Amino acid sequence: MEIDSVRVESSLWIGNKRYRAHLSGWYFSWTEIDKRNREKKTISVPVSEVIGVKEGRVEIQPQKKVEDTDIDFTLFYVKRSSKGNGIRAPWSLGRTQFCCPSRAVRDQWITQLRTALKTHSPSRPHRLLVFINPFGGKKRGKQIFHSLVAPLFELAGISSHVVVTERANQARDYILKKDLTGFDGVICVGGDGMFSELLHGVIGRTQQEAGVSEHDLTVMLQPCDLHIGIIPAGSTDCVCFTTIGINDPVTSTLHIIIGDSQPLDVCSVHYQSTLVRYSVSMVGYGFYGDVLAESERHRWMGPLRYDYSGCMVYLGNRSYPGLVQYLPADSHISSPRDNTRCLSGCRVCSESKERLFPHFDSSSSLYSTNVSQYSSELEGEWVTVEGRFKCVSLTCMSSSCPRSPKGLSPSAHLADGTADLILVRETNPLGFLTYLHRHTNTQDQFDLPFVEVHRVRAVRFSLPPGEEEEEEEEGDREVQASAERVLDDPEKLCSSDIAGHSQQHLAGRTERRNVTTSRVKHRGFVCGTCCTKPRSISVWNCDGEILPHTEISCRIHGQLVRLFARGIEDSTMA
Ligand SMILES: CCCCCCCCCCCCC/C=C/[C@@H](O)[C@H](COP(=O)(O)O)NC(=O)CCCCC
Ligand SMILES: Nc1ncnc2c1ncn2[C@@H]1O[C@H](COP(=O)(O)OP(=O)(O)O)[C@@H](O)[C@H]1O
Ligand SMILES: [Ca+2]
């Protein structure tokens, strides 16, 4: 075996074929040598994509099997498949068993490969906090984690502390309150709702520790260091699909293991001077709000509830009045109709970093103290649009999912500090069906006369005169108190004493304590059992949660959180 400072090389055998293997810089490669000493095919694996190196002949799938020989070692690495679902191919675990001429050579290879791994992959996680929602999607969260994810973590030397949730918001509260020392990231096994819990926990915790008020719409929030990973096991899994390109637990696990890091824009939603929620995918009023409200009554259907509710709401053919104000983003940088896609290594997102963090001190990972903590992001000229809308949607990213592989706004960027505002005005049922159907094919859903799309930094939504939201009245305090009482016991939520239009009770979901209840002048219905709400007012769907307010203000915080992901790999790179 030859070892110099930049290169390790020796002959190795795979089965009965001889290979010349070499490790140099960022790659481990092996080239087949035929009987006449001619070089044939070479396989190269980037060190950053090596999952583990084990003594002996090891298999972990379908079951763990170890044949502990003296001269063999097994290399595990990321393997790209040629066929993909959508625009990217899934990743799987590649495995090659090498046979060495002696035990000494075998031990040297293992040492050199493990050293290279440490040197070239410094940002890999070592300890993770995992939350499993046993009831998400098709209720397969626990099985997915134990059969597909845990064996890969073990192989990669990652230890995990697993919490199977027993109630909604347990994961969020855990992250907000418990000691997180030693954890390199938090992982959810579930859907967009579970991701949202981790998002709120991580952002809230970071702001608490930095002494920043989340309620202040104008403040510059502290970016979060603790990475979030998503193992898809939910109903829509939009955040996973948009940031990885596929909903596949093994692909997600491999991205977590190699320590990929994808910054993500986050939208904060405020009601008056209170933070209501954060969102990364869709804040949608009208159609998407109604679909969510309807779907909560059919949770027993599992993921199909959205298809059923989508049909029911479509047939209802409703539209809503509204006043939308937005702060446009710089149209010279990008536009929602420029026909580009935000892929791994996106130039628009990389170039946004300096603009978003002009005062970031990389040595302390904090903002310089002599710089104002207030952002200039809300300065500029607001544009006002008034009318009746089938839907108003705001999305920080493309929001693609298996139902809509190119998403709500196909050219939106994951980390450019902007969101796309889509206004679909009142139209006839066929027109709206055409709009919806274009989400599922290659036709441009924005090329319709009743649709407009804008790249924005902030949005305000209000009701036209006569429909305004009322502030909490004396009598409503009882409603609020009642809502707070049930926070600790979601089962109690389905009760007519929460007569406002927050429908968390239907989902067994809860709201944060600091969120106040607001009321809307009553003239109609929503859930048919206990809620009252005017027909002319819809609800907001915020990443799958119904908001308790109608008149909201939204602001985009560029690159506020980081995921164990790398954006969508173009399959031509595979
Ligand atoms: C005629 C064919 C119509 C097809 C319409 C397709 C439009 C799809 C746009 C999807 C946007 C999805 C945005 C993401 C939303 C999720 O956060 C949310 C919660 O997910 P989960 O926690 O996994 O349950 N999902 C939804 O609100 C469902 C929207 C479904 C709309 C049909
Ligand atoms: N143990 C639990 N019991 C009830 N609800 C839970 C539990 N754990 C998490 N949740 C809540 O369930 C909601 C839906 O979960 P999610 O994993 O997103 O599944 P889905 O994609 O099917 O909606 C989330 O809002 C989350 O807060
Ligand atoms: Ca964005």
Side-chain angles (χ1 to χ4, degrees), residues 512-526:
R512 296 184 69 165
R513 277 181 191 277
N514 54 15
V515 171
T516 53
T517 312
S518 71
R519 307 289 303 271
V520 175
K521 288 176 185 166
H522 293 180
R523 248 175 279 151
F525 84 109
V526 159

PDB file of all heavy atoms in Angstrom, residues 512-526:
ATOM      1  N   ARG A 512     -50.816  28.397  20.453  1.00  0.00           N
ATOM      2  CA  ARG A 512     -49.892  28.902  21.464  1.00  0.00           C
ATOM      3  C   ARG A 512     -50.637  29.770  22.465  1.00  0.00           C
ATOM      4  O   ARG A 512     -51.580  30.461  22.122  1.00  0.00           O
ATOM      5  CB  ARG A 512     -48.800  29.700  20.780  1.00  0.00           C
ATOM      6  CG  ARG A 512     -47.989  28.839  19.884  1.00  0.00           C
ATOM      7  CD  ARG A 512     -46.871  29.608  19.301  1.00  0.00           C
ATOM      8  NE  ARG A 512     -45.883  29.935  20.342  1.00  0.00           N
ATOM      9  CZ  ARG A 512     -44.681  30.359  20.043  1.00  0.00           C
ATOM     10  NH1 ARG A 512     -44.320  30.508  18.812  1.00  0.00           N
ATOM     11  NH2 ARG A 512     -43.843  30.639  20.999  1.00  0.00           N
ATOM     12  N   ARG A 513     -50.183  29.756  23.698  1.00  0.00           N
ATOM     13  CA  ARG A 513     -50.861  30.495  24.752  1.00  0.00           C
ATOM     14  C   ARG A 513     -50.932  31.990  24.501  1.00  0.00           C
ATOM     15  O   ARG A 513     -51.856  32.648  24.879  1.00  0.00           O
ATOM     16  CB  ARG A 513     -50.134  30.270  26.074  1.00  0.00           C
ATOM     17  CG  ARG A 513     -50.543  28.999  26.732  1.00  0.00           C
ATOM     18  CD  ARG A 513     -49.813  28.829  28.032  1.00  0.00           C
ATOM     19  NE  ARG A 513     -50.024  27.485  28.543  1.00  0.00           N
ATOM     20  CZ  ARG A 513     -51.082  27.135  29.219  1.00  0.00           C
ATOM     21  NH1 ARG A 513     -51.995  28.016  29.494  1.00  0.00           N
ATOM     22  NH2 ARG A 513     -51.230  25.900  29.640  1.00  0.00           N
ATOM     23  N   ASN A 514     -49.902  32.502  23.828  1.00  0.00           N
ATOM     24  CA  ASN A 514     -49.884  33.950  23.681  1.00  0.00           C
ATOM     25  C   ASN A 514     -50.709  34.452  22.491  1.00  0.00           C
ATOM     26  O   ASN A 514     -50.688  35.612  22.163  1.00  0.00           O
ATOM     27  CB  ASN A 514     -48.439  34.453  23.577  1.00  0.00           C
ATOM     28  CG  ASN A 514     -47.696  33.733  22.482  1.00  0.00           C
ATOM     29  OD1 ASN A 514     -48.344  33.094  21.668  1.00  0.00           O
ATOM     30  ND2 ASN A 514     -46.385  33.831  22.457  1.00  0.00           N
ATOM     31  N   VAL A 515     -51.428  33.560  21.848  1.00  0.00           N
ATOM     32  CA  VAL A 515     -52.254  33.981  20.726  1.00  0.00           C
ATOM     33  C   VAL A 515     -53.640  34.344  21.235  1.00  0.00           C
ATOM     34  O   VAL A 515     -54.290  33.540  21.892  1.00  0.00           O
ATOM     35  CB  VAL A 515     -52.357  32.855  19.671  1.00  0.00           C
ATOM     36  CG1 VAL A 515     -53.375  33.209  18.620  1.00  0.00           C
ATOM     37  CG2 VAL A 515     -50.992  32.607  19.060  1.00  0.00           C
ATOM     38  N   THR A 516     -54.093  35.538  20.935  1.00  0.00           N
ATOM     39  CA  THR A 516     -55.409  35.940  21.422  1.00  0.00           C
ATOM     40  C   THR A 516     -56.476  35.563  20.399  1.00  0.00           C
ATOM     41  O   THR A 516     -56.210  35.438  19.215  1.00  0.00           O
ATOM     42  CB  THR A 516     -55.460  37.456  21.629  1.00  0.00           C
ATOM     43  OG1 THR A 516     -55.054  38.065  20.422  1.00  0.00           O
ATOM     44  CG2 THR A 516     -54.582  37.884  22.777  1.00  0.00           C
ATOM     45  N   THR A 517     -57.655  35.380  20.871  1.00  0.00           N
ATOM     46  CA  THR A 517     -58.760  35.021  19.981  1.00  0.00           C
ATOM     47  C   THR A 517     -59.417  36.296  19.455  1.00  0.00           C
ATOM     48  O   THR A 517     -59.634  37.233  20.198  1.00  0.00           O
ATOM     49  CB  THR A 517     -59.831  34.240  20.775  1.00  0.00           C
ATOM     50  OG1 THR A 517     -59.160  33.245  21.507  1.00  0.00           O
ATOM     51  CG2 THR A 517     -60.863  33.638  19.873  1.00  0.00           C
ATOM     52  N   SER A 518     -59.701  36.333  18.184  1.00  0.00           N
ATOM     53  CA  SER A 518     -60.455  37.472  17.667  1.00  0.00           C
ATOM     54  C   SER A 518     -61.765  36.951  17.091  1.00  0.00           C
ATOM     55  O   SER A 518     -61.908  35.775  16.829  1.00  0.00           O
ATOM     56  CB  SER A 518     -59.662  38.183  16.583  1.00  0.00           C
ATOM     57  OG  SER A 518     -59.611  37.386  15.449  1.00  0.00           O
ATOM     58  N   ARG A 519     -62.718  37.835  16.932  1.00  0.00           N
ATOM     59  CA  ARG A 519     -64.027  37.389  16.456  1.00  0.00           C
ATOM     60  C   ARG A 519     -64.370  38.126  15.186  1.00  0.00           C
ATOM     61  O   ARG A 519     -63.903  39.213  14.907  1.00  0.00           O
ATOM     62  CB  ARG A 519     -65.102  37.706  17.494  1.00  0.00           C
ATOM     63  CG  ARG A 519     -64.811  37.185  18.888  1.00  0.00           C
ATOM     64  CD  ARG A 519     -64.913  35.672  18.988  1.00  0.00           C
ATOM     65  NE  ARG A 519     -66.199  35.146  18.596  1.00  0.00           N
ATOM     66  CZ  ARG A 519     -67.204  34.985  19.426  1.00  0.00           C
ATOM     67  NH1 ARG A 519     -67.110  35.340  20.673  1.00  0.00           N
ATOM     68  NH2 ARG A 519     -68.327  34.463  19.006  1.00  0.00           N
ATOM     69  N   VAL A 520     -65.206  37.495  14.411  1.00  0.00           N
ATOM     70  CA  VAL A 520     -65.686  38.122  13.194  1.00  0.00           C
ATOM     71  C   VAL A 520     -67.192  38.256  13.321  1.00  0.00           C
ATOM     72  O   VAL A 520     -67.833  37.408  13.934  1.00  0.00           O
ATOM     73  CB  VAL A 520     -65.322  37.237  11.979  1.00  0.00           C
ATOM     74  CG1 VAL A 520     -65.918  37.796  10.717  1.00  0.00           C
ATOM     75  CG2 VAL A 520     -63.824  37.104  11.861  1.00  0.00           C
ATOM     76  N   LYS A 521     -67.744  39.338  12.786  1.00  0.00           N
ATOM     77  CA  LYS A 521     -69.196  39.513  12.873  1.00  0.00           C
ATOM     78  C   LYS A 521     -69.888  38.284  12.286  1.00  0.00           C
ATOM     79  O   LYS A 521     -69.578  37.868  11.178  1.00  0.00           O
ATOM     80  CB  LYS A 521     -69.594  40.768  12.086  1.00  0.00           C
ATOM     81  CG  LYS A 521     -69.170  42.030  12.802  1.00  0.00           C
ATOM     82  CD  LYS A 521     -69.493  43.228  11.951  1.00  0.00           C
ATOM     83  CE  LYS A 521     -68.963  44.471  12.612  1.00  0.00           C
ATOM     84  NZ  LYS A 521     -68.936  45.614  11.703  1.00  0.00           N
ATOM     85  N   HIS A 522     -70.797  37.712  13.040  1.00  0.00           N
ATOM     86  CA  HIS A 522     -71.364  36.435  12.619  1.00  0.00           C
ATOM     87  C   HIS A 522     -72.529  36.589  11.664  1.00  0.00           C
ATOM     88  O   HIS A 522     -73.422  37.349  11.899  1.00  0.00           O
ATOM     89  CB  HIS A 522     -71.840  35.664  13.864  1.00  0.00           C
ATOM     90  CG  HIS A 522     -70.691  35.246  14.725  1.00  0.00           C
ATOM     91  ND1 HIS A 522     -70.845  34.547  15.881  1.00  0.00           N
ATOM     92  CD2 HIS A 522     -69.366  35.445  14.589  1.00  0.00           C
ATOM     93  CE1 HIS A 522     -69.674  34.318  16.424  1.00  0.00           C
ATOM     94  NE2 HIS A 522     -68.760  34.866  15.652  1.00  0.00           N
ATOM     95  N   ARG A 523     -72.469  35.824  10.558  1.00  0.00           N
ATOM     96  CA  ARG A 523     -73.574  35.851   9.620  1.00  0.00           C
ATOM     97  C   ARG A 523     -73.754  34.492   8.950  1.00  0.00           C
ATOM     98  O   ARG A 523     -74.458  34.361   7.998  1.00  0.00           O
ATOM     99  CB  ARG A 523     -73.306  36.903   8.538  1.00  0.00           C
ATOM    100  CG  ARG A 523     -74.260  38.082   8.637  1.00  0.00           C
ATOM    101  CD  ARG A 523     -73.887  39.135   7.657  1.00  0.00           C
ATOM    102  NE  ARG A 523     -72.810  39.944   8.185  1.00  0.00           N
ATOM    103  CZ  ARG A 523     -71.922  40.544   7.425  1.00  0.00           C
ATOM    104  NH1 ARG A 523     -71.940  40.387   6.143  1.00  0.00           N
ATOM    105  NH2 ARG A 523     -70.989  41.302   7.958  1.00  0.00           N
ATOM    106  N   GLY A 524     -72.994  33.486   9.363  1.00  0.00           N
ATOM    107  CA  GLY A 524     -73.089  32.252   8.587  1.00  0.00           C
ATOM    108  C   GLY A 524     -72.593  31.032   9.319  1.00  0.00           C
ATOM    109  O   GLY A 524     -72.836  30.865  10.493  1.00  0.00           O
ATOM    110  N   PHE A 525     -71.839  30.206   8.598  1.00  0.00           N
ATOM    111  CA  PHE A 525     -71.460  28.910   9.155  1.00  0.00           C
ATOM    112  C   PHE A 525     -70.026  28.599   8.755  1.00  0.00           C
ATOM    113  O   PHE A 525     -69.430  29.263   7.939  1.00  0.00           O
ATOM    114  CB  PHE A 525     -72.371  27.855   8.529  1.00  0.00           C
ATOM    115  CG  PHE A 525     -71.861  27.411   7.196  1.00  0.00           C
ATOM    116  CD1 PHE A 525     -71.320  26.133   7.055  1.00  0.00           C
ATOM    117  CD2 PHE A 525     -71.849  28.265   6.103  1.00  0.00           C
ATOM    118  CE1 PHE A 525     -70.820  25.739   5.824  1.00  0.00           C
ATOM    119  CE2 PHE A 525     -71.356  27.856   4.890  1.00  0.00           C
ATOM    120  CZ  PHE A 525     -70.848  26.581   4.743  1.00  0.00           C
ATOM    121  N   VAL A 526     -69.435  27.622   9.385  1.00  0.00           N
ATOM    122  CA  VAL A 526     -68.303  26.950   8.766  1.00  0.00           C
ATOM    123  C   VAL A 526     -68.369  25.451   9.011  1.00  0.00           C
ATOM    124  O   VAL A 526     -68.622  24.689   8.101  1.00  0.00           O
ATOM    125  CB  VAL A 526     -66.932  27.524   9.154  1.00  0.00           C
ATOM    126  CG1 VAL A 526     -65.844  26.490   8.899  1.00  0.00           C
ATOM    127  CG2 VAL A 526     -66.607  28.694   8.256  1.00  0.00           C
TER     128      VAL A 526
END
